[in-house]
Amino acid sequence: MNSEALNNLTPQQQQAVMQKMAMQVNQQITADLMEKMSSLCFKKCAGTSGDKLDRREQGCMASCQDRYLDAMAQVTEALQKRQSSM
């Protein structure tokens, strides 16, 4: 939607469009994060055991993903605190 079309909407419609756009951006960021996390953890944990992860590799993947998500949560929290203090 271009800015001219957005200006022709009521404030409520503009807000709804902006919320939908923000939700779509957040969904894309989440999908990218999950893809990156999976790729990094797979490279770190997967060996040459064939087409399935063995028990050790599965444990490594779970731990790696947990650490990645914990780190992202801490970064997000720190950024939110920084933004609220501005």
Side-chain angles (χ1 to χ4, degrees):
M1 179 173 280
N2 63 34
S3 62
E4 185 177 319
L6 191 59
N7 288 334
N8 291 332
L9 300 175
T10 67
Q12 293 83 6
Q13 290 172 324
Q14 289 177 1
Q15 184 177 6
V17 168
M18 296 302 284
Q19 286 176 339
K20 185 175 181 179
M21 290 173 61
M23 186 173 63
Q24 289 173 341
V25 168
N26 286 337
Q27 288 173 340
Q28 184 62 48
I29 289 169
T30 300
D32 292 346
L33 170 68
M34 292 300 161
E35 183 179 338
K36 184 176 181 178
M37 175 186 66
S38 296
S39 177
L40 289 171
C41 291
F42 188 82
K43 286 177 186 176
K44 177 183 177 189
C45 298
T48 57
S49 63
D51 61 348
K52 293 185 179 180
L53 297 174
D54 64 24
R55 205 171 280 233
R56 180 195 62 79
E57 292 167 332
Q58 289 175 8
C60 178
M61 286 288 292
S63 294
C64 179
Q65 290 171 343
D66 287 345
R67 286 192 310 270
Y68 194 91
L69 292 173
D70 287 344
M72 289 305 300
Q74 289 177 354
V75 168
T76 300
E77 183 180 333
L79 288 173
Q80 288 173 345
K81 284 181 183 177
R82 184 176 290 175
Q83 286 178 342
S84 67
S85 68
M86 290 183 172

